[in-house]
Every structure is written in structure tokens, then in C-alpha cells.
Amino acid sequence: MSDHQAQLDQVLRLVHDVLGAEVAGVCLHGSAVLGGLRPDSDLDVFVVARRRMTDRERRNLLHGLLGISGRGARNGEPARPVELIVVAQGDVRPWRYPPRCEFLYGEWLREEFERGEVPAPAVMPDLAPVITMVLLGDTPLFGPPPARLLDPVPHEDLRRATVAGVPELLAGLESDTRNVLLTLARVWMTLATGTVTSKDAAASWALDRLPARHRPVLARARSLYLGGRDSLAEPADSVAPGSESWDGEMLEVRGHADLVVRAIEQLAARDGH
């Protein structure tokens, strides 16, 4: 059994306990499908329901995930963060933009959830690249292949949604530096090539296209994502493995981000966004 299969089984049981026969399909996507799980990778789970959720179902699903995901795991075993999305099939098939998300759980929202907030349905442009990844990954955990449940996202909507998420990304540049740098690289690659791939593959693509002085921070972010030694942390023997303090590099980080955002804006303007 893989190191994450038991946790996935817990998630599946929870989804079925809460939604029962209304579950049309459950798919794995993200790193586990596109490039292999990394040390800090989430388990990305996508649920297609036959109808919209009730408030009670939202509360029950949230309560269960708080006890399965990340540091909230109740069995005392190390657990990966879970990112779980639920869509109602009728809201995404036939496809329309912007799509509606029924439920979104992620560990970055844990503090809000523990204060009593419950995920609410919302328009979510980011579903466009997520659904694209789900279809590309083609890894059902329950139910039929995702292509039987979801329509492909038109290329124009994929590009539009990718650009729409940039301002929110930049807002987290200091608090979530590694993830923002890698995601900006993926946005850039998606706009330039029309494909969605893993964060490390997108970073490799971007590194080949960056001026030399803008490569080090992205190279560091990619190395950390892959679980490698943090070669930029000094002195080496005084920094814990996996340390991610970017305090001394924020000037370089901002300069790198500005350059990538300009490249994204140029591609978006070229295509009329």
C-alpha cells in the first residue's frame, strides 16, 4: 500500500458517508498524478456530485476533513494535507464560465474553519485549470473515468481563468513564497504553451527562459518542492532541513515575480485578455 492510500481511503469513506448515492465520481489529481507526490504535496481530490450540497452536508464534510487532513489527523500518524473540491455535475456540464464550486477544503483555510466558518458555494474561475488537470490525470478513485463526468475546458477559458488568479497569488508572495513562485511559473507556461503540468516541470520550463539573475529564487523553490537540500540557506549546519526563510531574499523574490508577471501580462494582452 502506498504511503497515502490509507488516507485516501479515509477521504473516500467520508465523502460516501456524507453524500451517499449522490456521489457520481471521485478523482485524484495534482502532484500525485502529474509528477509524483513530493514531501509536502497535498492529496488533491475532486468530487463530482449529482446535485448541489446542503448546509448540513457541508458542515459534516468539513468536520470529517478537519480530522483527516494534515496536522488535524486524529490517528496520531503523519498525514498529508488534503485539498478537496466538490462540484455539482449540472454546474460544470455542460461547461460554462465562470464555473461554480460547491465546496472547497484546504489546509491553508484551517484557522478559518476551526473558528466556525463553513465552505460556501462560490463562483471559482480556478476550476478551469483544476478540471483540465483532472481530465489530463484520468485517475478515478470511484466511479467512471472523469471524461464521462466532465466536459473539457475550452482553451480560451483555461487561459482566462489562469490570468484571473494572478492578483490573489501575488497577495501571498511573502507568506507562501515557494508555492507562489512555482505557481507563477505554471501560469506562465500554461499561457505560453496551452498545457497544464506539475509545478516542478513548469519551474524547469521557466528556468530555461529566465535571465540568469532571476533564476536562483525559482531554482531554490523547485529544490525545496522536490525535497532537496536548501542550498541557499546559510550556514548549512545551522538551518533545519526544509527551512524556508526567505527574509534575506525578498528583494530578489519580488524582482523575479515582477519579471514573470510582465511575461504573463504580455501573453494575456497578445491574446486579448
Side-chain angles (χ1 to χ4, degrees), residues 78-245:
R80 289 185 179 274
V82 174
E83 180 176 324
L84 187 139
I85 292 172
V86 181
V87 298
Q89 190 172 23
D91 288 330
V92 294
R93 190 176 201 184
W95 169 260
R96 77 272 289 177
Y97 185 90
R100 168 181 158 128
C101 177
E102 273 298 289
F103 181 96
L104 168 65
Y105 178 91
E107 278 296 297
W108 70 92
L109 299 169
R110 175 175 282 274
E111 290 186 5
E112 298 172 22
F113 296 151
E114 289 180 338
R115 290 197 300 266
E117 295 188 27
V118 177
V123 168
M124 184 177 164
D126 278 354
L127 276 180
V130 170
I131 289 175
T132 300
M133 286 190 285
V134 169
L135 290 167
L136 179 65
D138 193 23
T139 306
L141 299 173
F142 170 81
R148 289 174 53 187
L149 300 172
L150 302 164
D151 286 341
V153 176
H155 184 61
E156 171 64 20
D157 287 344
L158 175 61
R159 297 172 72 89
R160 189 162 37 153
T162 301
V163 173
V166 170
E168 184 177 352
L169 264 181
L170 292 175
L173 185 61
E174 293 194 20
S175 61
D176 192 16
T177 303
R178 183 221 303 192
N179 184 57
V180 171
L181 292 175
L182 294 171
T183 305
L184 283 173
R186 186 155 67 182
V187 170
W188 184 16
M189 181 180 175
T190 296
L191 285 176
T193 68
T195 60
V196 180
T197 188
S198 64
K199 289 178 180 176
D200 57 296
S204 294
W205 179 92
L207 285 166
D208 288 340
R209 289 158 178 81
L210 286 167
R213 68 188 182 92
H214 287 291
R215 293 174 192 157
V217 292
L218 183 58
R220 180 187 178 201
R222 182 177 183 274
S223 178
L224 288 165
Y225 176 75
L226 293 174
R229 180 176 173 273
D230 188 352
S231 60
L232 298 188
E234 297 293 348
D237 59 359
S238 67
V239 180
S243 170
E244 289 202 45
S245 173

Side-chain angles (χ1 to χ4, degrees), residues 65-75 107 110 114:
L65 287 167
L66 286 170
I68 292 174
S69 175
R71 61 182 173 85
R74 299 188 181 112
N75 61 7
E107 278 296 297
R110 175 175 282 274
E114 289 180 338

